[in-house]
Structure formats: C-alpha cells, structure tokens
Amino acid sequence: MTLRAGTMRLACMFSSILLFGAAGLLLFISLQDPTELTPQQVPGVKFNIRLQQPHNDFPPGGSRDGDFKTLTERVAQDLSSRAPRGLHLRGPDQSQAHLHIGARLRPRQRRRRLLIKKMPAAPAILANTSAAGPFVQPAPRALDGRWVSLHQRQQERKRVMREACAKYRSSSSRRAVTPRHVSRIFVEDRHRVLYCEVPKAGCSNWKRVLMVLAGLASSTADIHHNTVHYGSALKRLDTFDRQGILHRLSTYTKMLFVREPFERLVSAFRDKFEHPNSYYHPVFGKAILARYRANASREALRTGSGVRFPEFVQYLLDVHRPVGMDIHWEHVSRLCSPCLIDYDFVGKFESMEDDANFFLSLIHAPQNLTFPRFKDRHSQEARTTARITHQYFAQLSVPQRQRAYDFYYMDYLMFNYSKPFADLY
C-alpha cells in the first residue's frame, strides 16, 4: 500500500513539472517581440528590394529618365527603413501621393524604449518624441537631385548623435524635461518650428528667418542685430506652462545647427575680446586678466581689454573659474540637451546653405525665403575658418590643446567632428 502511494506521488510530481515547463515556454513565446524574428536593416547589410512599376507622370527628360526614376524609387524604399518617424518625402514621380517613411528601431533600442516607458518619468518620453510626425512633404524646390543625399545625411547625423547619447548619457532619457532644458529654444508657431540657439553657429540669421516665418518682418535683411538679440518678438519655449512645453516638443519640428567646437570657440573669442564690448570686457576680461596675467597693467585691469587667447583658454579649463561660463562657449550638449530632446533636424554650420534651404523646404517656408548669407557683426572681418582656428590654437601647448579637446569631447563625438590636430588622442 505504501509503495503504491509513493508511485502515485512521483507521478503527480512529474506531471506538475511538465505542466510548469509548458506554461513557462508559452509565456516566453508570448513575450517575445515578433519583429526580432524578422530580418532587420542594419548598416553593411543589404536586402533585396522589389522595384515599383514606373509611373506615367514622371517629368520628361533625357534618355536616362527611366534609369533615374528607378534609382530614385530604390533609394526611397531603402531610406524607408532608416528615416525618422513620420517623415514624408515627395519624390519627382509622386505628384499626387507621398512616400511615408517609418522608422525601424533596432531590437536593443526598442526594448530599451519599452523599459523606459514603464518608468515613472513618462512625461519626459512624451516630450522627447514627435508623435504627430512634425516633418511634412518637402516643397517643390527641394526636389532636385540632392534631396536624397540631404535626407540620408540627416539620418546619419541623428544616428551618430543617438548612439553617443546611448553610450555616454544613458540616464538622460529617463529625466523629465524642465524649463531649464528648453531655455535656449525659440518657438515659431505658424510653421510649428522649435529652434535651439547655438551661438556662433548662425543663430542671428536663424532668428531672422524665424521672424520672417512668423510674419514679423518681410525680409531678413530688414532686421537689425539688436532687434534679433535684444527684442522680444520671438518667444522662448520656457515661457510656456508645462503643458504648452510638452505639447510643442511632441508635435513641432525640432531643429538645431552646430559648428566645429574649436572653430566656434575661436569665433566667440574674436567677437567678444578682440573688439570693443561693454559687457564681456568688464565682466569676463577683468577677471581673466586679474587671475591669469602675472604683470597686468593698471589700465588692463581697469578696462578688461586685451585678453589673449591662451589666457582665455586658461579661464575656460579652470575648474575654479573666476567668472562663470557663457552661452557663446558652452557645450552644445548642455545648451540644447540633445540626449533628452529628440531633435528632428541636425544642421551644420559647415554645410549651412544646403542644410538650411533643405529644412525650409521641409517645413513649406515661402518660396522667396532663403537663409541669409551676410555676416551679422564685424562684416569687414573674415569669417573664422579652420585655417584661422589653427593659427589661434598654435599659441597653446600640446597639453592645453588636449585639455581643450577633452573639454569639448562630447560635442566632437555627438556631432561627428574629426580631431582638429593629429597629436590629439
């Protein structure tokens, strides 16, 4: 009797183990992301793409019209696997219908976003993404042979920026957006644009463009420098309440323009310290000369004029600065919080004309509005170039250059700028 009861007990235990194993397997399958079981488009891997049949409304051209159309369709389909969420591009052969390009996140990124969404700081995620897809169909002026390459350039810049954020700023995406994070962002409600101001990267002319878009001026040439920087025509995003901030972050087109960090630093130094300035000389110049010039004259200490570039860099790298930082040489990663705010468009000063006019096409700006070329201040003086930048940095020692590079390392990494000197590591 005892042996029979023991046998029944073992049978029950074995059945229970089988049932638990089956239930665990079913649970694992139900939680598995089905998209991870399908091939993903990744750099360096090509999948076969089925070409569409040519449309009859392609504009007539030379003997290569058909080849160009097929190439355009192939590139457009290939871009669809990497474009930002909600971006619509109208190709030369799509006068009635537009191409919707949806984003494909890699499995690791997708899982990470799902985890973040379950965390308490959900409002930050809402603020980071444009749920409505702020990009619209580009205007006809964008539909030349360059629009595909310009779009691809945008995808690459955003990919590099997001990878740098994922590697070095992993906790940023879980933080809630505060007014401080958006204090440098200007709002243009007509065309639903948010522009993060980066000084010395074309910001004066970009604010002129925003004023024309808002109907506050008829031409960028009519807007004086003081009106741009000291007027109150343009609203900042931090002047809105929290609901207004989050609404605009999630539905407007967010963009910023950046510049090579050393070049931007030299441009700021030349502008603020090599010309008369009633603010930077007494506030920054006096403090820099008093701390870093051994035998400063009484006149220099009184006026704050005559700061040399090595002295300025000493101030910049000093952890105990005698006076605080300034937006003209602050890191872009701190001015615009690109690891917290998911920007839709990343332009560069070095390719300003192409990037700016492509962006204006994407937001359907008036046809006669282009990005102004004129120099805002000290117009008779040459713009700061890579050659001029090297001349200034040649005044520094190798360790100083290395420390300056380390200081701006995140900007170099995030916006994919090359090391400016061969001896840097």
Side-chain angles (χ1 to χ4, degrees):
M1 190 72 177
T2 304
L3 179 63
R4 183 175 180 182
T7 303
M8 292 179 64
R9 189 180 299 110
L10 285 174
C12 290
M13 289 176 62
F14 184 70
S15 301
S16 299
I17 291 171
L18 287 178
L19 287 174
F20 276 115
L25 180 62
L26 289 173
L27 179 62
F28 173 78
I29 293 173
S30 66
L31 292 177
Q32 181 71 22
D33 189 346
T35 58
E36 295 184 15
L37 303 178
T38 61
Q40 299 291 328
Q41 184 77 27
V42 296
V45 181
K46 294 183 179 179
F47 299 113
N48 293 329
I49 301 174
R50 185 187 305 169
L51 298 179
Q52 298 175 350
Q53 293 299 321
H55 296 274
N56 295 326
D57 58 352
F58 188 78
S63 60
R64 297 177 62 86
D65 282 354
D67 294 339
F68 177 76
K69 176 179 177 58
T70 302
L71 173 62
T72 302
E73 290 175 342
R74 183 185 298 123
V75 172
Q77 290 188 5
D78 183 54
L79 287 177
S80 67
S81 65
R82 291 170 291 176
R85 178 179 52 261
L87 172 59
H88 300 271
L89 291 174
R90 186 185 299 236
D93 61 341
Q94 293 171 305
S95 58
Q96 300 300 324
H98 63 269
L99 176 66
H100 178 76
I101 302 179
R104 282 187 181 178
L105 295 175
R106 286 175 295 180
R108 182 178 180 182
Q109 292 173 322
R110 187 184 301 107
R111 288 197 299 271
R112 184 179 172 194
R113 287 198 177 185
L114 288 173
L115 287 172
I116 291 172
K117 285 182 181 179
K118 296 177 183 178
M119 300 188 70
I125 305 304
L126 175 63
N128 290 351
T129 57
S130 301
F135 272 30
V136 293
Q137 307 159 16
R141 64 178 171 181
L143 301 182
D144 54 27
R146 296 178 299 171
W147 71 271
V148 172
S149 63
L150 289 170
H151 177 63
Q152 288 177 320
R153 178 191 294 175
Q154 280 300 307
Q155 305 321 303
E156 177 63 14
R157 287 176 183 172
K158 288 186 287 184
R159 181 191 67 78
V160 170
M161 184 174 69
R162 287 165 180 164
E163 286 184 357
C165 289
K167 185 173 183 180
Y168 294 98
R169 297 281 192 269
S170 58
S171 62
S172 294
S173 59
R174 296 192 293 270
R175 292 158 50 196
V177 174
T178 67
R180 181 186 67 80
H181 293 121
V182 299
S183 62
R184 307 309 313 172
I185 295 181
F186 288 86
V187 179
E188 199 288 288
D189 285 313
R190 265 189 176 184
H191 294 79
R192 302 166 71 84
V193 171
L194 299 180
Y195 164 63
C196 184
E197 173 191 34
V198 177
K200 314 311 298 179
C203 68
S204 298
N205 281 336
W206 264 117
K207 286 194 275 189
R208 287 186 173 94
V209 169
L210 293 183
M211 293 174 72
V212 173
L213 288 173
L216 302 172
S218 57
S219 170
T220 55
D222 299 334
I223 308 173
H224 191 266
H225 175 84
N226 288 344
T227 305
V228 170
H229 289 287
Y230 306 116
S232 57
L234 293 174
K235 292 182 179 179
R236 294 178 188 266
L237 189 55
D238 63 350
T239 61
F240 295 87
D241 60 20
R242 180 164 181 78
Q243 184 178 357
I245 291 174
L246 295 182
H247 168 72
R248 285 167 175 81
L249 282 173
S250 62
T251 59
Y252 283 24
T253 302
K254 303 175 289 295
M255 66 99 163
L256 78 160
F257 271 72
V258 298
R259 187 176 185 177
E260 203 281 336
F262 277 10
E263 189 174 306
R264 176 173 167 252
L265 181 67
V266 171
S267 177
F269 174 79
R270 295 176 71 200
D271 181 25
K272 305 306 178 187
F273 294 100
E274 293 186 349
H275 300 276
N277 192 295
S278 60
Y279 173 74
Y280 285 91
H281 289 193
V283 174
F284 288 88
K286 284 184 180 181
I288 291 173
L289 292 172
R291 172 72 67 88
Y292 307 107
R293 185 174 296 183
N295 299 308
S297 67
R298 186 173 299 177
E299 180 67 12
L301 293 174
R302 184 183 68 83
T303 62
S305 301
V307 173
R308 303 181 187 118
F309 187 67
E311 296 167 338
F312 173 65
V313 172
Q314 276 186 282
Y315 142 78
L316 184 72
L317 301 178
D318 191 344
V319 294
H320 302 293
R321 299 183 193 95
V323 62
M325 280 291 284
D326 182 81
I327 61 171
H328 291 84
W329 45 85
E330 180 64 277
H331 309 80
V332 177
S333 54
R334 293 187 180 177
L335 289 172
C336 298
S337 301
C339 292
L340 182 61
I341 298 170
D342 190 13
Y343 285 91
D344 303 293
F345 193 97
V346 180
K348 288 193 173 183
F349 184 86
E350 294 77 15
S351 54
M352 177 65 79
E353 186 172 359
D354 282 346
D355 289 349
N357 292 326
F358 182 54
F359 177 79
L360 292 174
S361 295
L362 290 172
I363 64 168
H364 285 278
Q367 290 290 306
N368 61 348
L369 177 61
T370 57
F371 190 81
R373 290 184 173 185
F374 57 82
K375 197 169 183 284
D376 188 54
R377 289 161 59 84
H378 319 304
S379 57
Q380 303 304 314
E381 187 177 80
R383 289 185 185 274
T384 301
T385 61
R387 181 182 61 82
I388 291 175
T389 300
H390 275 66
Q391 291 173 356
Y392 277 80
F393 272 85
Q395 302 172 35
L396 306 180
S397 65
V398 173
Q400 281 181 312
R401 286 202 298 266
Q402 182 64 53
R403 289 185 62 205
Y405 177 72
D406 294 341
F407 185 80
Y408 287 110
Y409 179 70
M410 276 306 298
D411 283 358
Y412 272 100
L413 183 70
M414 194 172 293
F415 303 110
N416 203 23
Y417 282 108
S418 303
K419 287 188 293 187
F421 291 90
D423 55 7
L424 298 173
Y425 58 87

